[in-house]
Amino acid sequence: MMKVYLDNNATTMVDPEVKAAMDPYFTEIYGNPNSLHDFGTSCHPALRKAMDQMYEAIGARDEDDIVVTSCATESNNWILKGIYFDLIKNGDKDHIITTEVEHPSITAVCRWLEEQGVRVTYLPVNQEGIVEAHTVRDFITDKTALVSIMWANNETGAIFPVEQIAEICKEKGVLLHTDGVQAVGKIPVDVIQAGVDFMSFSAHKFHGPKGVGALYIRNGHPLTSLLHGGEHMGGRRSGTLNVPGIVGMGKAIELANYYLKFEEEHVRRLRDKLEDAILELPDIYSVGPRANRTPNTVLVSVRGVEGEAMLWDLNRAGIAASTGSACASEDLEANPIMTAVGADSELAHTAVRLSLSRFTTEEEIDYTIEQFKKAVERLRAISSTYAYMPENMKA
Amino acid sequence: MAKTDLIGGSIWEEYSQKVQELMNNPKNQGELTEDDAKRLGGELIVADFGAESCGDAVRLYWIVDPKTDKILDAKFKSFGCGTAIASSDTMVELCKGKTVDEAVKITNIDVEKAMRDEPNTPAVPPQKMHCSVMAYDVIKKAASLYKGVDMESFEDEIIVCECARVSLNTIKEVIKLNDLKTVEEITDYTKAGAFCKSCIKPGGHEEREWYLVDILADTRREMEEEKLKEAAEKQASGEEISFNDMTLVQKIKAIDSVIDESVRQYLIMDGGNMEVLDVKQNGQYTDVYIRYLGACSGCASSTTGTLYAIESTLKEKLDPNIRVLPI
């Protein structure tokens, strides 16, 4: 049976070149970079190179900081809690603006901040799945400490107007953070051109290793640390440096940028082919216009078929997909993005996300099309949505 | 929280083989029509429960013999995950051949148990239990249609959770049947509280008449009272009660009588004695606080051999989870 991995927005395969770059830093060059001896210092060239690769890839300047963390969840926690300590608890601000469709590492922290007395505005998205820049302007007050808005959405791939939002924030004098996890490596990301103050990103989303992420900080803006305990990362983030992770992240982001054109052309073509074929079936919808999506992502809604049931059938056929909806996750809520884009409530639990990568092949897409259709056919035959109901029994 | 909870398990790996097979090949999936009803000489009943907007919906078809109330044939259609499909299929299997009154007695536990591979291993993980609850609620709906009463009067239901349409009776029943102890478990079993969360406790975005926290507290109290009543009745009728099922007073009496019968005489022989000061339930343990009297107090063996002998006697005669603590 063919095995097809179409869940690249969850995580990606480590590029073999990345793995090769990391390899010496496990058993050969394993010293602690903070040590004075040769064992320690011998990894410094590779670390410096990795930092160069990261700065180059997102267009950061030397006066900016890219602080390596353990993951984007840490980066997101850090920016929100840091701003809370600096500008709200020990300052005169009391307000944060974010969106209804952020990753839980933003929304869950915001809910916690609300418990600490912070006012949080959750901006809705429009039918295309994005926040319109002008709505940000409407909610900024002189008490607003931070605006945190994702660059691209994990479920739909919808790309947010970060540059326009940055202009508004600049004009109003409010700091802007963006969760760039789903954008970096998929579309061109230039933090200076976009004008953001902070950006979270994570290596395992662009064929790097798990357990390493970063927070970009414009001009080395001060921010209370999340992890205290040492002088690592210029004293901004303590913890022994994850040397192989950092080396891998540097290599991975360099490769991802190198393949951006390939992503834009080849991956987009395969995604469009898959989406077109699926949309040929009746009563199937995709969320958000393609032109404004990351090239690898499509979220489809299959009327009459619950998302997890669809995943079950695809998995039986060797295909990995995902659904943010109902049964699949531990909590039973509808996929928030489906509610947010104003989908028919009956479609709230029918979303299936397929996310490709530069390693996805044409054969895999052809096979997925065939199996997807089979699964829809089988599950709709069981579904109550399309089943017989006599007139006199209708509720 | 413990070791096994730290790396989340796969929900699918916790499905029984039966659940997986029924998901892949449901046997009772399909429709029944007026023609089928005519052919079998019965009445067609079609009942819907749940809603797609909630993530689970099931439609149950029955053909019922109006003379005997017997369910001649049954089928289902389902919008839902694997568990919803498998439990609907099992529910239909359990309905077939029963009378409507018998079918109404089928519980979610019956449905879930019928899907187990091993008698003591649940067929689905807890967060999937609500699917089997749904499969049994639809039976009540079908029965209410057949009997021409509306569902409210049939099961006199107060809806506690509007989002998932879960009634007070269902919640109380599920708490009692499954010995649920937390609101989270109620949500896993019934879906009540999983959506807007207003019904969990006061202070949500909508004011409710009933809250899960109160229902849980009231039902647990009822269960305690029932247990007390049961223990009292057993004692009155001279029936043997296990130590665990005893009330605290009964436990104290039982401990005292064991000490009188099997311990005290030996202490007295050595010029000593003891008294029970207090008995406390401490999780699974019953802690018995004692004080030595006469020669026993200050005797070197009172904290070693004698104490061991008292504790072992109580453990052997009453319950292995008794601990004796000298003050």
Side-chain angles (χ1 to χ4, degrees):
Chain A
M1 185 173 62
M2 199 181 245
K3 284 280 196 187
V4 186
Y5 186 73
L6 293 180
D7 200 11
N8 287 282
N9 283 10
T11 194
T12 57
M13 181 186 90
V14 173
D15 188 309
E17 271 191 69
V18 170
K19 185 166 173 276
M22 293 168 70
D23 210 35
Y25 300 93
F26 288 101
T27 56
E28 293 160 43
I29 310 167
Y30 54 81
N32 187 328
N34 272 31
S35 303
L36 296 174
H37 46 64
D38 285 357
F39 280 84
T41 53
S42 58
C43 62
H44 285 194
L47 287 175
R48 272 195 290 272
K49 183 178 171 195
M51 294 309 286
D52 285 345
Q53 288 164 323
M54 286 187 226
Y55 272 71
E56 161 97 31
I58 63 166
R61 306 158 308 180
D62 288 356
E63 59 265 41
D64 302 329
D65 289 347
I66 294 179
V67 180
V68 177
T69 62
S70 65
C71 56
T73 292
E74 184 191 325
S75 305
N76 286 342
N77 268 265
W78 183 18
I79 182 62
L80 291 171
K81 290 174 183 171
I83 291 291
Y84 166 66
F85 281 117
D86 297 344
L87 300 182
I88 297 174
K89 192 160 183 284
N90 299 311
D92 60 355
K93 308 285 187 190
D94 70 358
H95 182 220
I96 286 174
I97 298 176
T98 184
T99 80
E100 284 181 351
V101 297
E102 298 296 313
H103 187 267
S105 58
I106 294 288
T107 47
V109 180
C110 285
R111 302 255 180 251
W112 179 79
L113 289 176
E114 282 185 283
E115 287 170 24
Q116 315 308 312
V118 179
R119 283 190 309 119
V120 180
T121 302
Y122 301 89
L123 298 175
V125 294
N126 65 15
Q127 284 198 325
E128 298 185 357
I130 59 166
V131 165
E132 290 161 47
H134 68 83
T135 61
V136 178
R137 184 194 303 273
D138 297 343
F139 286 94
I140 290 179
T141 72
D142 54 3
K143 291 285 194 183
T144 307
L146 181 77
V147 173
S148 175
I149 291 187
M150 60 188 3
W151 198 310
N153 182 266
N154 47 325
E155 295 276 342
T156 60
I159 299 166
F160 287 53
V162 175
E163 212 172 317
Q164 290 172 45
I165 293 167
E167 268 170 39
I168 293 166
C169 290
K170 199 172 172 193
E171 177 196 319
K172 297 273 187 181
V174 175
L175 294 168
L176 172 65
H177 165 254
T178 185
D179 177 353
V181 162
Q182 297 291 343
V184 173
K186 297 192 178 94
I187 54 171
V189 165
D190 185 318
V191 286
I192 299 304
Q193 193 194 323
V196 298
D197 298 296
F198 308 95
M199 180 177 79
S200 308
F201 55 115
S202 180
H204 76 102
K205 304 287 190 187
F206 45 78
H207 304 289
K210 293 165 186 60
V212 55
L215 183 68
Y216 160 80
I217 304 174
R218 185 188 179 94
N219 271 337
H221 195 283
L223 189 67
T224 290
S225 290
L226 192 62
L227 303 188
H228 298 86
E231 287 305 306
H232 313 92
M233 282 282 146
R236 308 211 68 164
R237 195 269 186 193
S238 299
T240 301
L241 296 189
N242 174 0
V243 178
I246 295 170
V247 170
M249 184 165 181
K251 185 69 190 171
I253 202 165
E254 183 187 70
L255 287 172
N257 259 25
Y258 173 79
Y259 284 113
L260 272 184
K261 196 162 179 277
F262 183 81
E263 187 91 16
E264 183 50 40
E265 288 168 3
H266 177 75
V267 177
R268 180 180 292 275
R269 187 182 63 78
L270 289 182
R271 191 275 313 271
D272 289 354
K273 178 179 180 177
L274 175 65
E275 188 172 337
D276 285 340
I278 289 172
L279 292 177
E280 277 173 17
L281 296 165
D283 288 352
I284 292 193
Y285 318 91
S286 62
V287 179
R290 275 183 210 178
N292 192 44
R293 264 194 256 145
T294 48
N296 75 320
T297 308
V298 57
L299 183 71
V300 289
S301 167
V302 184
R303 186 179 287 280
V305 180
E306 197 274 332
E308 187 191 328
M310 196 66 202
L311 293 197
W312 175 274
D313 272 26
L314 289 174
N315 186 54
R316 275 207 295 157
I319 301 163
S322 115
T323 173
S325 73
C327 287
S329 50
E330 298 247 325
D331 63 71
L332 305 162
E333 289 186 55
N335 189 332
I337 198 81
M338 296 302 286
T339 317
V341 299
D344 188 344
S345 68
E346 282 165 17
L347 297 179
H349 295 267
T350 63
V352 176
R353 180 185 71 187
L354 300 156
S355 49
L356 291 66
S357 83
R358 61 175 186 258
F359 293 99
T360 308
T361 67
E362 187 108 30
E363 292 71 40
E364 290 174 342
I365 291 302
D366 290 338
Y367 174 76
T368 302
I369 291 169
E370 180 194 314
Q371 293 301 326
F372 197 96
K373 288 184 173 175
K374 255 194 205 167
V376 172
E377 200 176 318
R378 183 182 95 89
L379 292 166
R380 277 188 175 163
I382 300 173
S383 174
S384 49
T385 313
Y386 295 95
Y388 169 74
M389 173 56 98
E391 277 305 315
N392 61 341
M393 295 262 172
K394 278 186 183 155
Chain B
M1 277 298 288
K3 190 177 171 191
T4 49
D5 301 319
L6 296 174
I7 306 287
S10 159
I11 290 177
W12 287 354
E13 278 175 11
E14 290 178 53
Y15 286 174
S16 70
Q17 281 304 315
K18 277 186 197 158
V19 168
Q20 301 194 26
E21 280 156 24
L22 292 175
M23 170 56 185
N24 293 338
N25 297 299
K27 290 174 289 191
N28 299 306
Q29 176 272 120
E31 296 161 349
L32 292 170
T33 63
E34 295 290 1
D35 290 344
D36 297 316
K38 232 175 262 169
R39 186 169 45 80
L40 291 171
E43 189 186 330
L44 177 69
I45 298 293
V46 185
D48 271 341
F49 202 86
E52 284 168 52
S53 53
C54 293
D56 269 321
V58 57
R59 180 169 295 170
L60 176 61
Y61 299 85
W62 274 353
I63 291 172
V64 186
D65 183 340
K67 291 188 282 294
T68 61
D69 284 354
K70 202 168 226 175
I71 299 160
L72 301 173
D73 199 3
K75 298 250 185 230
F76 81 95
K77 288 275 186 175
S78 168
F79 170 93
C81 63
T83 314
I85 292 173
S87 55
S88 300
D89 199 72
T90 305
M91 173 271 295
V92 168
E93 195 65 42
L94 293 175
C95 284
K96 282 184 182 171
K98 289 200 169 67
T99 65
V100 170
D101 286 341
E102 287 166 349
V104 168
K105 296 202 183 84
I106 297 171
T107 68
N108 66 311
I109 306 294
D110 298 328
V111 174
E112 190 268 315
K113 282 197 171 149
M115 297 191 297
R116 293 184 181 187
D117 297 333
E118 304 284 338
N120 295 320
T121 311
V124 293
Q127 63 268 48
K128 287 290 182 179
M129 287 294 185
H130 66 84
C131 307
S132 58
V133 172
M134 164 109 42
Y136 110 105
D137 273 333
V138 76
I139 297 177
K140 292 184 178 168
K141 181 72 182 292
S144 75
L145 288 172
Y146 176 70
K147 297 200 167 216
V149 292
D150 55 81
M151 207 170 160
E152 281 75 22
S153 72
F154 181 76
E155 57 168 1
D156 150 50
E157 71 175 6
I158 298 162
I159 300 295
V160 175
C161 170
E162 291 287 349
C163 306
R165 283 198 66 78
V166 186
S167 72
L168 181 60
N169 282 346
T170 301
I171 292 170
K172 289 183 129 183
E173 258 179 64
V174 166
I175 293 172
K176 286 186 182 177
L177 280 169
N178 303 286
D179 191 22
L180 303 186
K181 295 189 179 71
T182 65
V183 168
E184 291 74 27
E185 285 177 316
I186 300 176
T187 304
D188 283 341
Y189 274 74
T190 64
K191 251 186 177 181
F195 296 94
C196 77
K197 301 183 171 31
S198 297
C199 65
I200 292 179
K201 55 177 191 263
H205 74 252
E206 188 188 287
E207 199 180 324
R208 305 283 307 160
E209 196 185 336
W210 293 87
Y211 293 103
L212 295 181
V213 285
D214 301 331
I215 299 169
L216 180 65
D218 290 348
T219 312
R220 294 299 310 182
R221 200 177 315 119
E222 272 175 39
M223 288 164 74
E224 278 302 314
E225 283 166 11
E226 279 163 23
K227 208 174 139 190
L228 282 180
K229 224 173 121 189
E230 206 182 317
E233 277 166 7
K234 273 191 178 169
Q235 198 183 30
S237 67
E239 210 179 315
E240 188 130 333
I241 327 169
S242 80
F243 189 75
N244 266 324
D245 290 337
M246 286 182 187
T247 68
L248 193 58
V249 173
Q250 288 172 334
K251 282 182 183 173
I252 294 171
K253 284 183 181 163
I255 290 165
D256 255 340
S257 84
V258 169
I259 288 171
D260 282 343
E261 281 165 26
S262 316
V263 176
R264 203 181 302 283
Q265 46 186 320
Y266 299 106
L267 301 181
I268 292 173
M269 279 198 300
D270 289 334
N273 205 339
M274 63 165 286
E275 62 177 349
V276 175
L277 293 175
D278 203 354
V279 175
K280 283 197 167 118
Q281 206 56 48
N282 187 356
Q284 65 182 98
Y285 296 106
T286 306
D287 289 339
V288 180
Y289 294 88
I290 61 161
R291 186 169 64 164
Y292 290 113
L293 304 167
C296 291
S297 51
C299 165
S301 144
S302 69
T303 53
T304 56
T306 308
L307 178 65
Y308 178 78
I310 298 170
E311 196 173 78
S312 342
T313 308
L314 289 170
K315 278 183 186 213
E316 186 205 315
K317 300 210 178 259
L318 295 173
D319 187 79
N321 284 326
I322 290 178
R323 299 188 295 199
V324 177
L325 306 153
I327 299 290

